[in-house]
């Protein structure tokens, strides 16, 4: 297939996080593999998990001042539990979770 | 699987686990590898440059058959500030012939799968879609693993943990110090599709030649870490990795840093027309040699990332250390097997093999790198920035006389850099950075 060089002169555009997540195959059971100690989350002035997670799994429920965990978006890096020990993370059941095409 | 017994169980079919499995199977050991992904490599990710010295010994001329992307002939180290770059550029046709400087780009989902097949051909049994949830012990001795399957207990003379950077089992069993924001990097990466012809043109490459570009300084806002672009065959890998501690300290979201990096005026032209086809994230260990635990105990050994075996210096090597440690653990098992002693004493040659090799010599040499950078932030923040500014100012053409430009630059260095501190730092840097 001939390449049209003009196609490759357009700026690269960063996708939104949800568009990026859509590129990765994820398979999940109903059971969450991530738990958050809500009390400790409330006491975390930084609310660090809200920004440290590259998949934006943690969202703030403003009304209840609690942390929502969209565990099915998790890309399994383990960073949340290292950044804040009030998140407990375990490996999803075998065969579940992410499957990368490239890696 | 209930009550099954193998000679060795390996947890994780990544680079270290498979290198161990291949070596064991080749020597007639009954070995079971348990992998949580759908297939070996399904959950694995790196930058990445595959450093292949050990691989070439395990599978001679692997480059003729393995799914590798390109061999690296061009390495570039770039300091960025807000809108400028200064680079050191090494390009050598010397690297164009076997063994290609043992430096290749690869995609792990494809490479690890192939590597695991080589171990299977030697007789290793690899079970996928199975998560190891805990270790089985008798007294202090590890005797097997508990998997998430029904009847999921499996027994062995020896367990090799090759679970990677998110070392939950190793940490849980007290076999390594806790993972902390100061000893773990978070890395995010995108694979961007580009036709091979465009890549070769854009990065000045021919055929299967490849380029590896690492970015420092302003590229990662002066955090301990770096950004990278590696050329694959018909895609490029673009990512950033920084200490979690620094993300927390600056309240930066990793993907925002990645997006800023991609938009930098020095970087954006390399990405034109490229479409993101994958987004991924993982941790990288930056444990220091000084914090390593023994890495073995009764009936168990730790290899690769879970042991902390990554060279955190500018070399950024983990792949070859992972494979080397897998091979050493396999050899230690073979020695223990002769006496049928799989206790701590019996397996002790694992650590002595590691210690006697380049693996521990390198890790020992770079034991202070991360702490040095954490304590001397100028090396990742102001020094790269000042270097870029000096070069830019020196080559800025207006009608100022060159002698006046020189005077200004010297003044700038005097104002911004403490000479004594710099000398002291350079003295320490020779041990920690180079
Ligand atoms: C973004 C990034 C860039 C990198 N760049 C480079 C580079 O350019 N060059 C370089 O040399 N190194 C690089 N590294 C480091 C290198 O990738 C690692 O050092 C290497 O992959 C370690 O191999 P490993 O076998 O120890 O772990 P891994 O390759 O991570 O393998 C661990 C395996 O264990 C499995 N597993 C984990 N827990 C369980 C369980 N409980 N049950 C069953 N299976 C389990 C995982 O699914 C995985 O397959 C990079 C790392 C990252 C994250
Ligand atoms: S493991 Fe990584 S991707 Fe998953 S929730 Fe934690 S930080 Fe987010």
């Amino acid at each position: 297939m001939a390449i049209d060089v003009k196609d490759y002169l357009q700026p690269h555009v960063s996708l939104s996080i949800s568009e990026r997540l859509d590129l990765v195959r994820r398979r999940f059971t109903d059971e969450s593999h991530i738990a958050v100690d809500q009390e400790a989350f409330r006491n975390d002035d930084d609310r660090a998990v809200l920004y440290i997670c590259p998949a934006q799994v943690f969202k703030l429920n403003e009304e209840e001042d609690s942390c929502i965990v969209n565990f099915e978006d998790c890309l399994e890096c383990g960073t949340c539990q290292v950044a804040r020990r009030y998140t407990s993370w375990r490996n999803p059941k075998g065969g579940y979770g992410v499957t990368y095409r490239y890696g | 699987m209930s009550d099954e017994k193998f000679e060795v169980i390996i947890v994780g079919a990544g680079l270290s686990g498979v290198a161990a499995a291949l070596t064991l199977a080749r020597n007639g050991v009954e070995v079971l590898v348990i992998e949580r992904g759908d297939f070996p490599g399904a959950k694995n990710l790196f930058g990445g440059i595959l450093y292949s010295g050990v691989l070439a010994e395990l599978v001679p001329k692997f480059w003729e058959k393995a799914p590798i992307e390109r061999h690296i002939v061009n390495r570039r180290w770039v300091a960025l500030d807000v809108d400028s770059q200064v680079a050191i550029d090494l390009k050598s046709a010397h690297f164009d012939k076997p063994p290609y400087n043992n430096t290749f780009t690869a995609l792990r989902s494809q490479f690890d799968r192939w590597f695991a097949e080589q171990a299977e051909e030697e007789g290793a049994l690899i079970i996928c879609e199975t998560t190891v949830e805990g270790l089985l012990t008798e007294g202090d001795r590890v005797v097997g693993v508990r998997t998430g399957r029904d009847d999921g207990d499996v027994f062995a003379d020896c367990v090799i943990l090759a679970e990677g950077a998110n070392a939950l089992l190793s940490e849980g069993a007290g076999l390594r110090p806790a993972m902390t924001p100061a000893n773990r990097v978070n890395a995010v990466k995108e694979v961007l599709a580009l036709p091979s012809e465009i890549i070769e043109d854009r990065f000045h490459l021919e055929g299967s030649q490849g380029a590896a570009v690492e970015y420092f300084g302003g590229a990662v806002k002066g955090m301990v870490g770096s950004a990278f672009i590696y050329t694959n065959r018909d895609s490029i890998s673009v990512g950033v990795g920084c200490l979690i501690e620094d993300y927390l300290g600056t309240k930066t979201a990793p993907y925002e840093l990645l997006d800023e990096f991609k938009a930098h005026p020095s970087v954006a032209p390399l990405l034109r027309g490229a479409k993101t086809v994958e987004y991924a994230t993982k941790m990288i260990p930056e444990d220091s040699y000084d914090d390593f635990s023994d890495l073995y105990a009764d009936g168990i050994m730790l290899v690769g990332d879970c042991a902390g075996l990554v060279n955190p210096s500018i070399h950024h090597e983990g792949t070859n250390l992972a494979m080397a440690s897998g091979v050493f653990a396999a050899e230690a098992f073979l020695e223990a097997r002769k006496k049928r002693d799989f206790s701590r004493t019996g397996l002790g040659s694992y650590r002595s093999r590691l210690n006697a090799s380049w693996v521990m010599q390198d890790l020992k040499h770079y034991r202070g790198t991360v702490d040095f950078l954490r304590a001397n932030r100028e090396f990742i923040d102001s020094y790269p920035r000042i270097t870029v500014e000096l070069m830019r100012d020196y080559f800025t053409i207006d009608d100022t006389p060159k002698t006046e430009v020189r005077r200004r630059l010297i003044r700038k260095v005097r104002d911004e850099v403490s000479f004594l501190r710099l000398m002291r730092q350079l003295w320490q840097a020779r041990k920690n950075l180079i």
Side-chain angles (χ1 to χ4, degrees):
Chain A
M1 206 172 56
I3 290 170
D4 187 348
V5 172
K6 282 200 219 76
D7 292 344
Y8 298 97
L9 298 177
Q10 304 300 321
H12 162 78
V13 183
S14 284
L15 303 175
S16 71
I17 286 298
S18 68
E19 286 167 329
R20 277 181 249 205
L21 292 174
D22 285 344
L23 298 169
V24 185
R25 207 184 93 203
R26 286 162 288 136
R27 194 147 55 99
F28 274 95
T29 53
D30 297 340
E31 195 192 343
S32 176
H33 61 294
I34 310 167
V36 172
D37 175 343
Q38 296 289 352
E39 185 62 31
F41 170 76
R42 260 177 226 118
N43 292 330
D44 174 7
D45 291 339
D46 269 2
R47 304 288 163 108
V49 293
L50 298 183
Y51 63 82
I52 201 69
C53 169
Q56 296 263 284
V57 162
F58 306 95
K59 300 261 161 58
L60 182 67
N61 178 337
E62 290 190 21
E63 266 171 38
E64 295 178 10
D65 192 26
S66 65
C67 183
I68 303 166
V69 184
N70 295 322
F71 67 91
E72 59 291 328
D73 285 341
C74 174
L75 296 177
E76 298 171 39
C77 64
T79 304
C80 49
Q81 117 242 294
V82 172
R84 289 291 186 260
R85 288 277 165 170
Y86 62 70
T87 53
S88 65
W89 191 95
R90 54 191 169 79
N91 283 306
K93 201 166 153 309
Y96 286 83
V98 298
T99 297
Y100 289 126
R101 255 192 311 153
Y102 302 94
Chain B
M1 275 200 281
S2 70
D3 288 348
E4 279 207 63
K5 176 147 186 212
F6 289 81
E7 290 189 84
V8 179
I9 294 171
I10 299 174
V11 182
L15 301 179
S16 60
V18 171
L22 197 149
T23 309
L24 288 167
R26 208 168 253 177
N27 286 281
V29 176
E30 274 178 47
V31 53
L32 170 70
V33 186
I34 304 179
E35 166 58 45
R36 67 196 187 94
D38 280 0
F39 54 86
K43 292 179 183 289
N44 298 352
L45 149 77
F46 79 151
I49 305 178
L50 180 69
Y51 293 104
S52 58
V54 182
L55 176 61
E57 281 171 31
L58 289 174
V59 187
K61 294 200 183 153
F62 69 89
W63 51 79
E64 290 174 1
K65 45 207 166 196
I68 44 172
E69 296 290 315
R70 290 174 181 273
H71 68 275
I72 301 297
V73 296
N74 180 205
R75 302 199 64 171
R76 209 179 312 155
W77 295 270
V78 185
L80 291 184
D81 79 347
V82 184
D83 59 4
S84 315
Q85 73 166 47
V86 171
I88 296 176
D89 196 312
L90 167 70
K91 186 167 187 186
S92 178
H94 186 73
F95 301 149
D96 249 336
K97 50 186 182 297
Y100 302 101
N101 196 31
N102 294 313
T103 310
F104 298 86
T105 46
L107 296 163
R108 294 287 299 279
S109 184
Q110 293 154 23
F111 177 82
D112 288 18
R113 197 171 196 168
W114 171 86
F115 191 35
E117 282 163 12
Q118 309 312 300
E120 283 176 319
E121 276 172 25
E122 298 284 351
L125 180 61
I126 303 183
I127 294 189
C128 296
E129 299 187 31
T130 308
T131 299
V132 170
E133 292 176 350
L135 299 174
L136 301 172
T137 51
E138 270 171 20
D140 283 342
R141 215 177 107 76
V142 176
V143 294
V145 299
R146 170 149 297 167
T147 73
R149 290 180 180 262
D150 299 336
D151 293 335
D153 291 357
V154 201
F155 297 87
D157 292 327
C158 174
V159 172
I160 297 178
L161 284 181
E163 60 177 332
N166 192 12
L168 296 172
L169 294 167
S170 317
E171 186 184 288
L175 292 164
R176 54 150 295 129
M179 298 180 278
T180 69
N183 68 26
R184 283 293 179 279
V185 159
N186 169 273
V188 288
K189 164 181 160 179
E190 285 184 20
V191 178
L192 276 62
L194 266 184
S196 53
E197 294 90 332
I198 300 282
I199 293 176
E200 284 147 30
D201 206 41
R202 203 169 276 182
F203 289 87
H204 310 167
L205 305 166
E206 285 182 66
S208 62
Q209 291 181 333
V213 196
E214 325 261 353
Y215 295 85
F216 302 91
V220 289
K221 290 189 175 164
M223 293 194 255
V224 176
S226 60
F228 58 82
I229 300 180
Y230 300 128
T231 57
N232 304 314
R233 207 177 295 261
D234 46 21
S235 66
I236 52 178
S237 297
V238 182
V240 298
C242 297
L243 273 187
I244 296 174
E245 175 183 72
D246 282 7
Y247 279 125
L248 295 172
T250 54
K251 299 199 176 104
T252 305
Y255 74 91
E256 281 172 3
L257 188 69
L258 175 63
D259 290 353
E260 278 175 45
F261 170 68
K262 290 197 295 177
H264 189 283
S266 287
V267 176
L270 298 172
L271 312 184
R272 280 190 302 210
K275 297 229 161 28
T276 302
V277 291
E278 187 163 88
Y279 175 66
T281 175
K282 190 171 163 61
M283 290 193 293
I284 309 175
E286 301 229 319
D287 296 298
S288 160
Y289 176 87
D290 294 318
D291 301 326
F292 287 166
S293 57
D294 289 342
L295 310 183
Y296 65 102
D298 285 334
I300 190 160
M301 293 181 271
L302 270 57
V303 296
D305 276 12
C306 63
L309 307 180
V310 171
N311 180 339
S313 71
I314 196 161
H315 300 288
H316 281 305
E317 298 169 20
T319 51
N320 46 348
L321 286 80
M323 289 196 197
S325 61
V327 171
F328 290 138
E331 290 172 354
F333 176 82
L334 290 169
E335 191 169 319
R337 191 195 200 202
K338 286 188 207 144
K339 290 176 262 160
R340 296 217 52 80
D341 176 5
F342 307 108
S343 70
R344 206 186 130 71
T345 321
L347 296 173
S349 86
Y350 173 47
R351 186 63 192 253
S352 49
R353 279 165 207 272
L354 273 176
N355 285 352
S357 74
W358 56 274
V359 172
M360 281 303 182
Q361 280 166 31
D362 282 356
L363 293 175
K364 209 166 169 176
H365 178 78
Y366 293 111
R367 70 210 292 170
T369 301
V370 177
D371 282 344
F372 175 81
L373 291 174
R374 290 168 72 215
N376 297 276
R377 292 197 163 260
E378 297 99 319
F379 277 84
I380 44 181
D381 188 2
S382 58
Y383 295 163
R385 177 178 52 76
I386 293 167
T387 307
V388 175
E389 284 172 9
L390 289 179
M391 294 279 288
R392 187 180 49 214
D393 294 352
Y394 188 69
F395 288 105
T396 297
I397 306 300
D398 52 23
D399 291 338
T400 320
K402 302 283 188 242
T403 47
E404 172 58 23
V405 173
R406 258 190 86 227
R407 251 198 306 276
R408 273 193 220 155
L409 294 188
I410 292 168
R411 211 177 309 132
K412 182 184 175 77
V413 173
R414 254 199 235 125
D415 288 351
E416 295 212 35
V417 181
S418 149
F419 188 68
L420 269 179
R421 184 167 161 81
L422 178 62
M423 284 300 118
R424 207 170 43 234
Q425 285 173 326
L426 286 176
W427 181 248
Q428 292 170 356
R430 93 196 189 288
K431 280 212 315 255
N432 292 302
L433 297 187
I434 308 164

